[in-house]
Amino acid sequence: MIRFGLRLAVAGGREALTRLLVIAAAVAIGSGLLLTTLAGVNAVDAQLTRYASIYPHALTTGAADKLWWSTRDDYFHGEQIIRIDVAATGSTAPVPAGVPTTPGPGEYYVSPALRDLFAAQPADQLANRYPGRDLGTVGPSGLTSPDTLLAIVGGTPDSVGKLPNARQVDDLGDTPALPETTVDLILGVVAGGLLFPVLIFIGTATRLSAARREQRFAAMRLVGATPRQISLVAAVEAGLAAVVGTAVGFGLFYAFRDPLAGIPFTGMPFFPGDMSLTGGDISLVALGVPAGAALAAQISLRRVRISPLGVTRRVTPRPPRAYRLIPMALGVAVLVFAISFRPATSDGQAAVFLPGLLLIMAGLVFAGPWLTMVGARVMARYANRPATLIAARRLADNPKAGFRAISGIMLALFVTSVAVGVITTIVDERGPAPRGSIDAGTVTTVFDEKTTAAPDTLLAELRAISGVSSATAIREAPDINTGSEGGVIACADLPNAYGRCAEGASVIEVPLGLSRWEESASPATVWRAAPLTLDELRRLPVVAVVVGTDGSTAAIERTRTLLEIAYPTFWVGPNVPGDFESDFADTLRGWEQLANVIIIASLALGGCSLAVSVIGGLTERRRPFSLLRLSGAPVRVLRRVVALESAVPMLAVAAVAIGMGLLAAHLFLRAQMGYTLVAPPPRFAVIVVLGLTACLGVIASTMPLLERVTGPETARSE
């Protein structure tokens, strides 16, 4: 029977060969996207693992030699630079990832992206911050991304041990860092959301011409074939196409892996090696896709196994019942429950939110035939044209087949709505500052430890930089404004743009950062006098230096470099308003990019599923359509029938999917963060409309096939 099944698949005429090639092509696209999704999840894990090596914990394994380690942040024109200071206490101390040896005092390694910046910028704006001998480049194993700006700087144990956040480590480890719970959940929903349309696409492809094969296998049953033999033949036929398609899918994945790795799906590109597949991933796709195709073929023949006469008579299946809404309602109930009873741990939250969202997705697919049937009955009630009535009756008679064509679109819109709703709300609540905010041009250095270094020479050098308008040292205020909330300065050092001193004052109280001055200051502001003399002021330790510039890149970066050389023990480098916001904005832009990827990939998969379903439906019903043409129905009426059968349920379930997606996003946000859903931006509606229009275009593109396959010769008795 296996040889017989292979013969039917490859030697059954042009129709069988075309069906085999179409199924193989569809499975190739689906399996390629499935492999890309799995590799993308592995790439994120690889990035998190290397992120953990940049911020290691202090470990105690008993090793004699340890490595002093301090990770600090610097900035260059709004881009974060990670600076790692290290010092080995002995020859057996661990070596940082990505470099051959631990750099010694006066030595450093830099990442390729930072080296490119060194070459492109004047030394006094960036490279001078890292004096000493350049030992080479940090390798990929020490970087989270090809675009990472990283410097590993050597020092002595005494000097590194005094730096902020310094620690001793004796094992850098390889445990992946745990992302924020929200990010973890979003990535999980994204992966699951992309897998569902891929699996539906593959299942739709393997069911191509299922009705005609049902009739052929039913005839074989009538001449003596057993249900087991029929199942074996069907499995061989579907499995052959799936095996060929899966092999091509692997080829497509490896052919396009490098270009895909360079796309910043999550805000930063991957290394090509990160887009890897584990043995489990390869086995899952290589064995699971053909097995799933064979299973789909057998499920499609369940009526043949029960009664071949039922197929030849084309018995109308039982209509779906309203109980199909239960899984979707349960998924909503889980998210509602999580609002009041959110687990405290990340694992507990994932155990609640992910099943709830996936249950809604599965519930939408399960409830789809019932929704299609209800919509078809409504359409039939108000039908006033033959095409509308024929389409409505056909959908009502077999709503499962009608929904199958647009199930991928439904899931795509649901996943898109959830992702866009969540990400848009987070962006709105946390409010990333635009990159233009760094044009404020005020460079602030706040010291984590007090310094008594006299800044007069430094302030003179800062004021000599072209574009610098002011340079002010803020000193610790004794017995007033205790803590790090404020300080004192000489009245003569107050820039004119920020007000004036109280009458008779020589020393005034001010906030630490000039950016905070801007929140409350204006040329008319009067600052309160401090009970200090100028001599007493000069004996106080400096807690911050604030430099006003014209906002030009050269002035800001030269100021940063000079401050870092003068005060090398900073934790966070000299910064301007917008640096921190710009860094977080990059993360949020990555999330928005991820949402765009979900939209495009999901709608593309849904469109492919729709195309395969519409073509399959035309080939399966070419004889009934031919009889309608012979009875006088114009081709334009048949075109309306095909269009209405796909377009009406697609638009109906699109509204349901978007509504359920935004509801799920709102419940997730309320439960996880306490946020209220913010309406998606207009571009979301534009993308959805364009996606649905493209799907309608897919339907329209199949219309020329209708006239070719419904000629009079097709109406002969088969």
Side-chain angles (χ1 to χ4, degrees):
M1 294 303 293
I2 294 178
R3 286 188 299 173
F4 181 64
L6 292 173
R7 183 177 179 183
L8 286 177
V10 300
R14 180 182 299 177
E15 178 184 345
L17 185 59
T18 301
R19 180 173 63 245
L20 178 68
L21 294 176
V22 171
I23 293 176
V27 172
I29 296 174
S31 58
L33 289 171
L34 181 58
L35 291 169
T36 301
T37 301
L38 295 174
V41 173
N42 294 336
V44 172
D45 289 339
Q47 281 188 338
L48 292 175
T49 299
R50 292 195 295 272
Y51 181 86
S53 69
I54 294 176
Y55 298 92
H57 296 287
L59 303 177
T60 55
T61 61
D65 295 333
K66 295 178 173 57
L67 181 70
W68 276 103
W69 186 289
S70 173
T71 304
R72 299 184 286 166
D73 293 334
D74 191 8
Y75 293 93
F76 179 81
H77 201 208
E79 297 292 336
Q80 183 189 37
I81 301 175
I82 301 173
R83 173 170 174 153
I84 301 174
D85 290 87
V86 294
T89 60
S91 59
T92 61
V95 177
V99 297
T101 59
T102 300
E107 298 174 337
Y108 64 87
Y109 293 92
V110 294
S111 65
L114 185 55
R115 185 176 301 282
D116 292 341
L117 275 182
F118 282 0
Q121 304 295 332
D124 61 353
Q125 294 186 27
L126 181 59
N128 287 352
R129 303 179 196 178
Y130 307 93
R133 187 160 64 99
D134 185 353
L135 296 181
T137 301
V138 181
S141 60
L143 305 173
T144 57
S145 167
D147 291 347
T148 300
L149 302 177
L150 174 71
I152 301 178
V153 181
T156 64
D158 289 339
S159 64
V160 177
K162 295 177 182 178
L163 293 175
N165 203 32
R167 69 201 71 178
Q168 285 186 322
V169 297
D170 49 20
D171 184 2
L172 297 178
D174 58 358
T175 303
L178 295 177
E180 184 183 347
T181 303
T182 303
V183 180
D184 195 15
L185 290 171
I186 290 174
L187 290 176
V189 174
V190 167
L194 287 177
L195 288 179
F196 266 80
V198 167
L199 295 177
I200 286 178
F201 181 34
I202 293 174
T204 301
T206 57
R207 288 182 56 88
L208 192 63
S209 299
R212 290 181 60 80
R213 283 185 287 164
E214 280 183 351
Q215 296 176 3
R216 184 181 64 192
F217 291 143
M220 293 170 61
R221 284 285 313 278
L222 291 174
V223 298
T226 65
R228 184 176 180 180
Q229 290 174 325
I230 293 299
S231 296
L232 182 58
V233 171
V236 169
E237 187 176 4
L240 175 63
V243 168
V244 174
T246 303
V248 175
F250 273 94
L252 291 174
F253 167 74
Y254 284 107
F256 292 98
R257 182 176 65 168
D258 289 0
L260 287 172
I263 300 175
F265 291 127
T266 58
M268 61 179 72
F270 299 119
F271 288 103
D274 292 342
M275 297 281 290
S276 60
L277 298 171
T278 65
D281 296 334
I282 294 174
S283 300
L284 175 66
V285 177
L287 301 178
V289 171
L295 181 62
Q298 293 190 23
I299 292 175
S300 67
L301 299 175
R302 60 189 180 277
R303 287 186 294 166
V304 178
R305 293 197 299 271
I306 297 172
S307 170
L309 291 176
V311 175
T312 58
R313 296 173 186 168
R314 305 304 300 164
V315 176
T316 300
R318 291 180 57 185
R321 307 293 180 86
Y323 70 83
R324 288 176 170 267
L325 297 174
I326 294 177
M328 184 168 57
L330 288 176
V332 174
V334 169
L335 295 183
V336 172
F337 173 81
I339 294 178
S340 302
F341 301 94
R342 182 171 71 93
T345 64
S346 299
D347 292 341
Q349 293 167 21
V352 172
F353 291 119
L354 283 178
L357 292 170
L358 295 177
L359 190 59
I360 294 177
M361 294 173 64
L364 285 171
V365 175
F366 191 63
W370 184 83
L371 296 173
T372 303
M373 182 193 67
V374 172
R377 290 178 177 177
V378 172
M379 186 169 63
R381 179 177 299 176
Y382 297 99
N384 54 12
R385 291 187 178 183
T388 307
L389 183 60
I390 294 173
R393 289 295 301 273
R394 195 252 172 179
L395 287 174
D397 286 344
N398 194 358
K400 291 182 181 179
F403 173 73
R404 191 178 301 121
I406 45 91
S407 57
I409 299 293
M410 186 181 202
L411 278 183
L413 292 173
F414 173 78
V415 174
T416 296
S417 301
V418 172
V420 172
V422 170
I423 293 171
T424 299
T425 302
I426 293 175
V427 171
D428 182 79
E429 290 286 345
R430 298 190 181 183
R435 289 185 181 275
S437 64
I438 66 173
D439 290 338
T442 303
V443 183
T444 303
T445 301
V446 178
F447 304 111
D448 295 282
E449 296 182 1
K450 304 179 184 68
T451 177
T452 58
D456 294 342
T457 302
L458 172 64
L459 296 179
E461 293 177 359
L462 289 170
R463 293 173 183 138
I465 296 175
S466 175
V468 171
S469 57
S470 64
T472 305
I474 302 178
R475 298 176 183 269
E476 183 182 37
D479 301 326
I480 55 173
N481 295 330
T482 57
S484 59
E485 292 300 317
V488 290
I489 66 171
C491 184
D493 292 335
L494 177 67
N496 294 331
Y498 299 104
R500 57 188 175 84
C501 303
E503 185 175 355
S506 58
V507 180
I508 58 174
E509 302 174 15
V510 295
L512 288 184
L514 205 59
S515 60
R516 294 184 56 192
W517 293 16
E518 293 174 347
E519 296 174 5
S520 57
S522 69
T525 302
V526 178
W527 297 97
R528 187 174 59 181
L532 297 170
T533 66
L534 290 177
D535 289 338
E536 292 172 334
L537 174 70
R538 293 188 181 95
R539 290 195 292 268
L540 295 175
V542 178
V543 293
V545 174
V546 179
V547 181
T549 75
D550 59 3
S552 64
T553 301
I556 290 174
E557 301 309 332
R558 288 192 177 104
T559 299
R560 282 196 223 257
T561 302
L562 198 57
L563 286 170
E564 289 187 20
I565 294 173
Y567 300 107
T569 60
F570 63 88
W571 186 356
V572 177
N575 54 86
V576 296
D579 274 342
F580 301 106
E581 295 86 352
S582 178
D583 184 49
F584 181 67
D586 287 339
T587 301
L588 294 180
R589 276 189 286 270
W591 291 4
E592 291 179 322
Q593 178 73 10
L594 186 61
N596 293 333
V597 171
I598 297 169
I599 294 173
I600 296 172
S602 300
L603 290 178
L605 285 171
C608 291
S609 299
L610 179 64
V612 172
S613 297
V614 173
I615 293 173
L618 288 177
T619 57
E620 290 173 357
R621 293 181 295 149
R622 57 185 180 180
R623 188 167 185 268
F625 279 163
S626 297
L627 293 174
L628 285 173
R629 287 189 63 184
L630 288 176
S631 63
V635 176
R636 65 177 182 274
V637 173
L638 301 184
R639 289 174 179 166
R640 291 196 191 104
V641 171
V642 174
L644 289 170
E645 286 178 353
S646 300
V648 172
M650 180 183 72
L651 297 176
V653 301
V656 174
I658 293 174
M660 287 302 301
L662 295 179
L663 174 62
H666 173 70
L667 295 176
F668 170 78
L669 290 166
R670 290 294 300 169
Q672 180 66 18
M673 301 178 177
Y675 294 163
T676 299
L677 178 70
V678 175
R683 68 174 179 273
F684 169 69
V686 172
I687 292 176
V688 170
V689 170
L690 291 177
L692 293 176
T693 302
C695 292
L696 294 175
V698 169
I699 298 173
S701 67
T702 63
M703 295 306 171
L705 180 64
L706 176 64
E707 191 169 359
R708 290 200 300 269
V709 302
T710 58
E713 68 280 359
T714 309
R716 69 183 187 277
S717 177
E718 296 181 345

